[in-house]
Amino acid sequence: LPTLLTGCSGQSSKTVSQDPVSRTDILFDTVVTITLYGDDQEQHLEDCFSLGKKYENLLSRTIDTSEVSQINQAKGQPVTVSDETLELIEKGLYYSELSGGAFDITIAPVSSLWDFKAENPAVPDSAVLEEAVSHVDYHQVQIDGNQVWLTDPDAGIDLGGIAKGFIADKFKEYLTGQGVTSGIINLGGNVLTIGEKPDGSAYTIGIQNPFREERGPITALEVRDCSIVSSGIYERYFRVDDKLYHHILNPATGYPYENNLLGVTIISKASVDGDGLSTTCFALGLDKGLELIRSIDGVEAIFITDDYEL
């Protein structure tokens, strides 16, 4: 285990109620569970899920009326977006640049061809994929004030790689603003902790054992007040003729990355950074991914290789 945790600190609140309240719902096609300690937290849970719906309606590529969809449908014309959508697009461009395009928020033409939830998922036609790849290039995203447009009318933005982390951070910001000092936000495996447990102890967060769920976690982390985000080939995938196809797509080829990694977990302060970095580090592979993490202060990573080594 890496020594934990740089950049993550907790505050003690010994008087908070020990009994958690929890709520689970579906947002962004993923199971979201928020658990809060303290009295009278039900309204805060309610508010978070309302907030989540708001962000889903701004940011989802698959909701026709979302601001992201409006950009994608505008055929290169400027679209005026909210501050939140702008903030996330700019964060996405930051990670697109940091990864040298290995993570690219204009992957939509490619990601829309892969349906990992279909009853009988299929590998897209290679010629169709090749055509889609020709429209992927984050340099096509142009911003002027709150106006966003794409210089290639057939390009498209997909923020799925970082939206969950962004929303988790917004939930935490809201909750801490309401005086919540203890809780866990879990957006489909993006885990963000608020403070520490009411008794002053750390949260124990298990890291999923890829493809071996019945064996329990591959490792566990003791954390306070920080984010743990995992990206891996075991999250959404299908097999055709014994070949595994997973959802972390290479913008250069249109096909899933093949790099001897099963997953990457990022420990950071903000969940949006964990999201951006987990996909980026997976895309870069073990050596370049480690190099990147070592160059960033206050962030740690766990890489799981395909022989189940940490």
Side-chain angles (χ1 to χ4, degrees):
L1 271 189
T3 49
L4 293 179
L5 277 164
T6 54
C8 301
S9 62
Q11 66 260 19
S12 279
S13 336
K14 301 289 183 279
T15 55
V16 175
S17 162
Q18 304 279 337
D19 299 323
V21 291
S22 192
R23 183 174 158 193
T24 299
D25 211 333
I26 303 286
L27 283 173
F28 264 94
D29 289 334
T30 195
V31 179
V32 178
T33 302
I34 301 176
T35 303
L36 303 177
Y37 293 87
D39 301 317
D40 305 321
Q41 301 287 6
E42 277 81 0
Q43 188 58 51
H44 294 147
L45 289 175
E46 192 68 42
D47 293 345
C48 275
F49 281 98
S50 301
L51 206 54
K53 274 277 172 260
K54 173 190 142 178
Y55 287 124
E56 186 172 29
N57 287 324
L58 289 177
L59 304 171
S60 172
R61 173 182 65 78
T62 56
I63 294 176
D64 276 350
T65 52
S66 76
E67 292 187 343
V68 166
S69 290
Q70 287 173 42
I71 297 167
N72 293 347
Q73 293 157 9
K75 296 292 174 198
Q77 294 303 305
V79 173
T80 303
V81 300
S82 61
D83 290 346
E84 292 96 334
T85 300
L86 185 68
E87 183 187 345
L88 187 56
I89 288 173
E90 287 180 332
K91 191 59 117 165
L93 291 172
Y94 170 79
Y95 282 110
S96 300
E97 184 69 32
L98 185 73
S99 68
F103 170 89
D104 192 316
I105 59 165
T106 60
I107 191 84
V110 168
S111 57
S112 60
L113 297 174
W114 292 86
D115 185 358
F116 292 92
K117 293 197 172 73
E119 211 163 293
N120 298 301
V123 179
D125 176 79
S126 59
V128 175
L129 260 185
E130 200 176 322
E131 159 64 17
V133 164
S134 71
H135 300 293
V136 178
D137 180 0
Y138 67 92
H139 295 99
Q140 296 164 359
V141 181
Q142 303 295 310
I143 296 172
D144 182 13
N146 278 59
Q147 291 197 314
V148 181
W149 67 96
L150 296 159
T151 52
D152 174 355
D154 293 320
I157 292 173
D158 183 345
L159 298 172
I162 49 170
K164 287 194 301 185
F166 177 80
I167 293 168
D169 289 334
K170 293 295 183 190
F171 285 172
K172 182 170 177 174
E173 194 180 303
Y174 165 75
L175 290 168
T176 53
Q178 297 297 312
V180 175
T181 55
S182 205
I184 300 179
I185 298 159
N186 186 343
L187 266 81
N190 278 41
V191 176
L192 185 58
T193 61
I194 301 172
E196 58 198 352
K197 287 184 182 172
D199 63 5
S201 63
Y203 299 100
T204 304
I205 308 295
I207 305 301
Q208 189 178 328
N209 197 336
F211 305 116
R212 298 175 174 179
E213 286 173 51
E214 72 286 350
R215 299 191 190 185
I218 194 166
T219 187
L221 305 176
E222 299 277 309
V223 300
R224 288 177 169 85
D225 207 43
C226 64
S227 158
I228 297 174
V229 177
S230 299
S231 284
I233 70 172
Y234 53 88
E235 294 172 291
R236 292 198 298 283
Y237 66 91
F238 61 86
R239 290 180 197 272
V240 176
D241 302 331
D242 277 345
K243 187 170 169 58
L244 185 143
Y245 295 90
H246 61 81
H247 76 290
I248 306 176
L249 303 171
N250 184 341
T253 66
Y255 291 95
Y257 276 103
E258 294 184 45
N259 59 12
N260 305 114
L261 286 177
L262 296 180
V264 178
T265 296
I266 302 290
I267 303 117
S268 60
K269 192 71 180 163
S271 192
V272 71
D273 295 323
D275 235 351
L277 285 169
S278 62
T279 312
T280 294
C281 287
F282 187 94
L284 291 175
L286 181 61
D287 295 342
K288 286 184 173 171
L290 276 171
E291 196 181 314
L292 175 63
I293 288 299
R294 287 179 177 135
S295 74
I296 302 173
D297 286 341
V299 175
E300 300 191 48
I302 299 169
F303 292 77
I304 307 174
T305 53
D306 57 9
D307 53 2
Y308 288 84
E309 287 293 309
L310 295 183

